[in-house]
Amino acid sequence: MLQIKNRETAKLSPLIVSALLATTLTACGGSSGGGSEQSSSSSESSSSESSSSEESSSSSSSEDNTDGAFSIDPDFQLYALADFPVGVAVSAAGESYSIFNHSDATQRQNVITEHFSELTAGNIMKMSYLHPQEDTFTFGDADELVGFADTNGMTVHGHALVWHSGYQVPGFMENYEGDFAAMLSDHVKGIVNHFESEFPGTVASWDVVNEAVDQGGENGFRQSLFYNELPPASEGDIPEYIRVAFQAARDTGAEIDLYYNDYDNTANDVRLAKTLEIADGLAEGDLIDGVGFQMHVYMTYPSLNDFENAFQEVVDRGLKVKVTELDVAVVNPYGGNAPDELEYDAALAGEQKQRFCDIARVYLETVPAELRGGFTVWGLTDDESWLMNQFRNATGADYDDVWPLLFNADLSAKPALQGVADAFQGNACNSDI
Ligand code: G3I
């Protein structure tokens, strides 16, 4: 089992960080759309919607930055309030919003080391980035990211060793003519072993397989390239490729936690049952340590009971629960909100603070300390979120911002950050800002 790395030995002094941050807490700039296109169809959809038409009322603890963003001046470091990894997905290398190349990269790094203890690569540790050709692994960009985490006493949650989606599937794996299971096993081992030998203990966990469930697929499993090559060995089994990938990761002997990760598996009973079927199949061979819930959620959907029930199912199996990709869009486009009606006012900022708090509270109340795999948000600042592209693609409407994360575009902290902190500190959740 894993140890949480000791942040205090490596990170910058909070005083230095605070001084650096102070220079960035200027009025919030206009937020642009997401910096990258995304092709994943994954999102939790529902017929419910959330919006607030209440008049805004500013409070002394919150600054209205005039363009609809509200900020707080945190007197805490979020990760220090938790005894489990508190993570953030980041862009790196030459991506938009890269923590190494963006114009505000230094400030971005400072906010990240101030409030988080774990990083997930939003993209650059996916399959084709690390393993573009059968005999070629390319670790340079990922090493820069993992090295940054290592230097700052943080861990990394690896994402993802096997995922069906789009361009990130290495071309050589398609129409592969050799032994597919052996190739997949080498893929997993090559990646896990690299980080384990270069940065021992830093990549502490992996999404070994991501998004294998599909209600429209065969027996509820997605008929991906991997499924087609290595389907269930017999009726009622989980797909063989999942077993092969987890077995390979386990066989490395690395002290890492192995997760099965999926979306829309809290309120959706069918998808939850399939997720649990995969977990049970892997648990028989002691091949899995936990289940990742992506949790791309909305203000009122799924319900807190849905989260509790889903987490409890995993806890009952003695497996870890990790919130792997949390974001809370303040609008549900599938519920019919028109983007020109969107206004992120003080009431909505307060409701979102309460929503983040409630989600974190349910996590803490349902998952015992020894099974808390971590709590990760999918991006740092609202303007970098993948959701605007997702909503545009899904509806054709122009969603400029859906304010789903914990920091404003100018890197100032939102009341939502206070919400998570309240839950981590055992304080009651409220919408006061
Ligand atoms: O910069 C690249 C370029 O080099 C590349 O050749 C080209 C390929 O289309 O476009 C650019 O890549 C984009 C990449 O983000 C980096 O910005 C891709 O088009 C774009 O599709 C990709 O979107 C990502 C998406 O996964 C697909 O990989 C999103 O940023 C990322 O947030 C999203 O994350 C997923 C999780 O991995 C799994 N769970 C759902 C979640 C949201 O969809």
Side-chain angles (χ1 to χ4, degrees):
M1 284 291 138
L2 299 169
Q3 302 275 318
I4 293 180
K5 297 182 86 177
N6 181 355
R7 296 290 313 281
E8 299 313 320
T9 55
K11 73 188 298 297
L12 288 172
S13 142
L15 282 177
I16 295 173
V17 173
S18 299
L20 289 166
L21 279 177
T23 65
T24 72
L25 297 180
T26 53
C28 188
S31 45
S32 61
S36 61
E37 297 205 12
Q38 63 83 41
S39 56
S40 169
S41 60
S42 60
S43 74
E44 300 201 18
S45 61
S46 84
S47 58
S48 69
E49 59 183 291
S50 62
S51 66
S52 171
S53 57
E54 286 175 44
E55 274 304 300
S56 62
S57 60
S58 297
S59 81
S60 57
S61 65
S62 175
E63 181 189 344
D64 179 349
N65 283 326
T66 70
D67 69 345
F70 297 84
S71 62
I72 61 163
D73 186 10
D75 59 0
F76 54 83
Q77 293 179 277
L78 187 66
Y79 81 86
L81 306 178
D83 57 1
F84 47 85
V86 179
V88 59
V90 294
S91 299
E95 292 185 288
S96 303
Y97 299 96
S98 166
I99 65 166
F100 301 116
N101 286 349
H102 196 54
S103 55
D104 64 2
T106 303
Q107 291 87 350
R108 236 160 231 280
Q109 291 181 12
N110 291 336
V111 174
I112 286 167
T113 54
E114 175 81 351
H115 287 293
F116 298 94
S117 58
E118 184 165 273
L119 302 178
T120 303
N123 285 299
I124 65 145
M125 289 172 73
K126 291 172 181 172
M127 303 181 82
S128 63
Y129 291 82
L130 301 184
H131 193 188
Q133 291 161 17
E134 185 164 13
D135 299 326
T136 308
F137 288 89
T138 44
F139 291 119
D141 290 341
D143 282 354
E144 183 182 28
L145 182 62
V146 178
F148 172 82
D150 193 41
T151 301
N152 287 284
M154 309 171 87
T155 52
V156 170
H157 175 65
H159 173 81
L161 292 168
V162 180
W163 189 31
H164 70 280
S165 180
Y167 74 94
Q168 63 85 43
V169 176
F172 79 87
M173 291 190 183
E174 291 163 19
N175 306 314
Y176 188 76
E177 291 188 345
D179 179 339
F180 198 89
M183 179 277 290
L184 193 64
S185 184
D186 288 347
H187 163 80
V188 168
K189 288 179 183 171
I191 293 172
V192 170
N193 284 332
H194 169 81
F195 293 110
E196 197 55 16
S197 66
E198 294 298 313
F199 307 97
T202 297
V203 181
S205 53
W206 275 97
D207 291 329
V208 180
V209 174
N210 189 38
E211 301 178 4
V213 171
D214 178 8
Q215 282 172 265
E218 193 168 86
N219 293 320
F221 294 114
R222 186 183 304 279
Q223 286 177 276
S224 62
L225 162 71
F226 307 105
Y227 182 97
N228 290 335
E229 291 284 351
L230 296 169
S234 53
E235 199 173 328
D237 276 355
I238 64 171
E240 198 53 22
Y241 83 88
I242 300 179
R243 199 181 303 283
V244 166
F246 276 82
Q247 185 71 60
R250 201 54 117 206
D251 285 350
T252 63
E255 273 195 54
I256 52 176
D257 280 343
L258 307 182
Y259 282 89
Y260 174 70
N261 191 50
D262 217 321
Y263 65 92
D264 195 12
N265 49 5
T266 53
N268 184 326
D269 290 344
V270 178
R271 290 183 55 88
L272 174 60
K274 217 65 202 170
T275 298
L276 297 171
E277 191 180 320
I278 291 170
D280 289 341
L282 292 166
E284 274 177 28
D286 193 25
L287 297 180
I288 185 171
D289 297 296
V291 171
F293 292 92
Q294 292 188 8
M295 294 187 53
H296 300 292
V297 304
Y298 304 94
M299 294 287 279
T300 58
Y301 177 89
S303 72
L304 298 177
N305 274 344
D306 290 331
F307 297 136
E308 182 184 338
N309 292 340
F311 295 164
Q312 189 64 54
E313 289 283 1
V314 176
V315 168
D316 289 346
R317 288 161 166 78
L319 295 173
K320 291 189 175 183
V321 177
K322 191 172 180 81
V323 174
T324 51
E325 306 183 13
L326 179 64
D327 43 38
V328 180
V330 300
V331 58
N332 182 342
Y334 310 104
N337 299 79
D340 57 9
E341 290 169 6
L342 287 179
E343 188 189 346
Y344 191 67
D345 60 16
L348 194 46
E351 286 167 28
Q352 188 187 38
K353 171 194 168 201
Q354 175 145 14
R355 177 68 165 163
F356 267 104
C357 183
D358 282 336
I359 292 170
R361 178 177 59 77
V362 168
Y363 181 73
L364 289 170
E365 288 176 356
T366 313
V367 184
E370 68 276 14
L371 295 180
R372 290 177 195 150
F375 193 89
T376 291
V377 287
W378 199 245
L380 184 66
T381 54
D382 280 343
D383 54 331
E384 71 175 291
S385 171
W386 71 292
L387 283 168
M388 282 76 83
N389 276 337
Q390 167 76 5
F391 289 2
R392 279 189 206 113
N393 292 342
T395 67
D398 190 17
Y399 286 90
D400 285 336
D401 204 343
V402 296
W403 300 276
L405 295 168
L406 300 179
F407 290 85
N408 292 306
D410 70 349
L411 289 167
S412 59
K414 293 169 59 181
L417 185 78
Q418 181 68 55
V420 179
D422 284 345
F424 286 180
Q425 290 171 296
N427 298 333
C429 296
N430 65 62
S431 61
D432 301 342
I433 71 167

